[in-house]
């Protein structure tokens, strides 16, 4: 049983995993089991190149970022389980006891974070009832989002990145993932607002 299972290895999903993983020294998070399904084949970053992203050198390829960030996650936070080459087929259950079925395995988790793209080809059974047209995308692009309030779809289900209704910008996606991670950390901390910062002063 995982405490959080993140679906999607793009910017928003990995950002969420990095922030959650970085909290492992906090008493309320040290025993939490975190996993991420890092399926990346359909990520829009595969074809991206960046000239306008904060902190990323000009001409950086999105495909490099995908590889480098999952490596960073593994090296810095090896307690976060990375599940590779699996695609989610269905979601069932309720907050505290979800069952995630992939093309290869079945997992249980208390919380789900969904961070895959906003393509209308979205096909995860059990989440179809939350689909609506993307509020910030041109209609002819045929994008979708999951109905949510402040990125919360339902009890125990969060959505990040463009599937949450955000525009497709790297900085927005990263911030979206980090925001949900801090919401989950706050939940684990009995509702007391919390976040994790690293500092050279420590």
């Amino acid at each position: 049983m995982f405490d959080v299972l993140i679906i999607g290895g793009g910017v928003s999903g990995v950002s969420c995993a990095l922030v959650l993983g970085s909290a492992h020294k906090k008493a309320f998070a040290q025993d939490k089991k975190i996993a991420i399904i890092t399926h990346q084949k359909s990520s829009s970053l595969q074809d991206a190149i960046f000239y306008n992203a904060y902190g990323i050198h000009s001409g950086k390829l999105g495909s490099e970022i995908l590889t480098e960030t999952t490596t960073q996650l593994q090296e810095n936070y090896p307690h976060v389980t990375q599940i590779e080459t699996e695609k989610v087929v269905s979601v069932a259950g309720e907050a505290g006891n979800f069952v995630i079925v992939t093309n290869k395995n079945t997992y249980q988790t208390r919380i789900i974070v969904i961070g895959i793209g906003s393509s209308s080809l979205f096909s995860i059974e059990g989440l179809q009832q939350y689909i609506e047209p993307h509020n910030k995308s041109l209609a002819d692009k045929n994008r979708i989002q999951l109905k949510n309030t402040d990125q919360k779809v339902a009890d125990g289900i969060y959505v990040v990145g463009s599937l949450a209704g955000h525009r497709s910008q790297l900085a927005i996606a990263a911030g979206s993932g980090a925001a949900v991670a801090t919401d989950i950390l706050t939940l684990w901390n009995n509702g007391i607002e919390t976040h994790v910062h690293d500092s050279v002063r420590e």
Side-chain angles (χ1 to χ4, degrees):
M1 170 74 81
F2 294 114
D3 291 285
V4 177
L5 179 57
I6 301 162
I7 301 170
V11 178
S12 59
V14 175
S15 176
C16 185
L18 285 166
V19 174
L20 289 174
S22 71
H24 67 285
K25 293 181 181 178
K26 302 278 189 181
F28 59 81
Q30 61 186 4
D31 296 324
K32 300 299 185 186
K33 295 181 180 178
I34 304 160
I36 178 170
I37 296 175
T38 57
H39 184 75
Q40 298 177 325
K41 288 184 180 179
S42 60
S43 173
S44 58
L45 258 68
Q46 294 288 8
D47 303 316
I49 186 168
F50 292 95
Y51 296 97
N52 66 348
Y54 179 80
I56 295 176
H57 74 259
S58 199
K60 184 75 171 179
L61 296 176
S63 57
E64 293 175 331
I65 293 172
L66 287 172
T67 301
E68 291 169 4
T69 52
T70 52
T71 299
Q72 175 188 354
L73 180 62
Q74 175 60 41
E75 290 176 350
N76 291 351
Y77 311 116
H79 58 284
V80 176
T81 301
Q82 291 192 43
I83 302 167
E84 301 176 357
T85 68
E86 294 188 31
K87 191 170 181 179
V88 174
V89 175
S90 69
V91 169
E94 57 189 19
N97 189 26
F98 290 108
V99 176
I100 310 294
V101 178
T102 74
N103 57 328
K104 297 180 181 179
N105 291 295
T106 299
Y107 303 96
Q108 286 184 283
T109 185
R110 293 182 173 86
I111 295 173
I112 303 168
V113 177
I114 307 154
I116 60 178
S118 56
S119 167
S120 60
L121 298 176
F122 182 93
S123 60
I124 299 177
E125 183 181 332
L127 297 177
Q128 302 289 333
Q129 70 270 31
Y130 301 116
I131 293 175
E132 64 181 8
H134 198 287
N135 291 328
K136 293 181 180 177
S137 180
L138 295 171
D140 60 4
K141 289 187 178 268
N142 201 24
R143 300 291 183 189
I144 57 111
Q145 65 182 51
L146 298 187
K147 296 175 187 175
N148 69 90
T149 301
D150 197 21
Q151 301 191 160
K152 185 176 181 180
V153 176
D155 285 344
I157 304 177
Y158 296 86
V159 61
V160 294
S162 60
L163 193 61
H166 297 302
R167 291 188 174 91
S168 181
Q169 289 283 135
L170 185 142
I172 296 171
S176 169
V180 165
T182 57
D183 285 347
I184 292 170
L185 293 177
T186 298
L187 183 67
W188 288 347
N189 196 25
N190 295 315
I192 299 170
E193 190 277 332
T194 191
H195 49 266
V196 182
H197 291 300
D198 297 317
S199 173
V200 295
R201 291 177 293 180
E202 295 176 356

